[in-house]
Amino acid sequence: MSLFVTILLASFAESLVSFIGGVLAFLNAETIRRFAHFVVSFAVGALLAVSFLDLIPEAVAMSSLEFVMPLVMAGMILFFVLEKFLFWYHCHEGKCPVHTYTYLILWGDFLHNFIDGVIIALTFMVDVKLGVLTTFAVILHEIPQEIGDFGILLHGGFSKKRALFYNFLVSTSTILGAILTFSMGTALGPFIPVGLALAAGNFIYLAATDLMPELHESSKFSHSIGQVALIILGAILVILPEFIL
């Protein structure tokens, strides 16, 4: 099997993880609505953990703290501006058929998955064994995030079929990143820290400004305990692969 086909199969396998979130599609609408805040809590933990414990440290390791942190802030501002544009374009008289944060999560995922494809291809080009381990680690990291992302899309107004379709469509950017990296060699390498920092800024902005405020809508003590527990669980499941591999 050629190196290109191996990279293509690895990136496609990572893209298929987007269907993991589809387990929520088997729940009926009333069940999803009832547990919406708990799904959002899980997503908050996963997004923050991916940002602070995965994307930012990786970007810093490849460049410097002084270079990365301004880009994280720029990412937050950039996606604030993007959300403002989406609100203006999609919402009328303050009413949105689909919450604007659903589009933000798709943009952030597109960028994140594209970078995953770049990283997968680069590691395979160095050593096939390293590429396999990297692909496995990326997939393990993606599982909790994809569950959270799918829940966000449903909570934000997407139908189950639409959420599945767009989640998978965005995930194919992994394949795009892998193909471009293979064709360009290591030329994309220097841009990885920039993409990682911008993706982190997007996820932090999304979790802190769009999702966390929704968790305050319920003031029940039992709900609050459940929300905190699921935020922690979402974070743990993201960082768990670091201890496994």
Side-chain angles (χ1 to χ4, degrees), residues 138-201:
V138 168
I139 287 174
L140 288 179
H141 275 94
E142 283 294 308
I143 290 173
Q145 187 185 330
E146 289 297 338
I147 294 174
D149 290 351
F150 191 82
I152 291 171
L153 294 179
L154 293 179
H155 184 59
F158 275 32
S159 66
K160 294 175 183 178
K161 289 183 179 179
R162 190 181 180 193
L164 275 173
F165 173 73
Y166 277 100
N167 221 27
F168 176 70
L169 185 65
V170 165
S171 72
T172 58
S173 64
T174 304
I175 300 172
L176 177 62
I179 292 174
L180 282 177
T181 303
F182 184 81
S183 62
M184 297 175 65
T186 57
L188 289 178
F191 298 99
I192 292 179
V194 177
L196 291 172
L198 292 177

Side-chain angles (χ1 to χ4, degrees), residues 38-55 140-148 207 212 226-244:
F38 297 118
V39 174
V40 170
S41 300
F42 181 87
V44 167
L47 289 173
L48 292 179
V50 165
S51 300
F52 287 109
L53 305 177
D54 185 22
L55 300 180
L140 288 179
H141 275 94
E142 283 294 308
I143 290 173
Q145 187 185 330
E146 289 297 338
I147 294 174
M212 277 187 168
Q227 288 170 355
V228 172
L230 282 168
I231 289 174
I232 295 172
L233 178 63
I236 289 174
L237 290 180
V238 167
I239 64 175
L240 192 60
E242 300 289 345
F243 300 96
I244 296 175

Side-chain angles (χ1 to χ4, degrees), residues 46-128:
L47 289 173
L48 292 179
V50 165
S51 300
F52 287 109
L53 305 177
D54 185 22
L55 300 180
I56 293 176
E58 192 169 344
V60 170
M62 299 175 70
S63 55
S64 68
L65 187 66
E66 292 76 13
F67 178 77
V68 170
M69 295 313 295
L71 286 172
V72 173
M73 186 175 72
M76 296 175 70
I77 296 172
L78 172 65
F79 283 96
F80 166 76
V81 173
L82 179 59
E83 186 173 34
K84 280 289 186 182
F85 170 78
L86 289 171
F87 186 86
W88 171 79
Y89 187 77
H90 289 281
C91 306
H92 304 282
E93 298 180 358
K95 297 180 180 179
C96 303
V98 175
H99 287 291
T100 52
Y101 60 67
T102 57
Y103 300 105
L104 287 189
I105 198 70
L106 290 174
W107 276 106
D109 270 353
F110 179 88
L111 183 58
H112 186 195
N113 290 329
F114 179 85
I115 295 167
D116 283 344
V118 174
I119 293 172
I120 287 171
L122 285 175
T123 53
F124 266 106
M125 290 162 68
V126 172
D127 179 70
V128 173

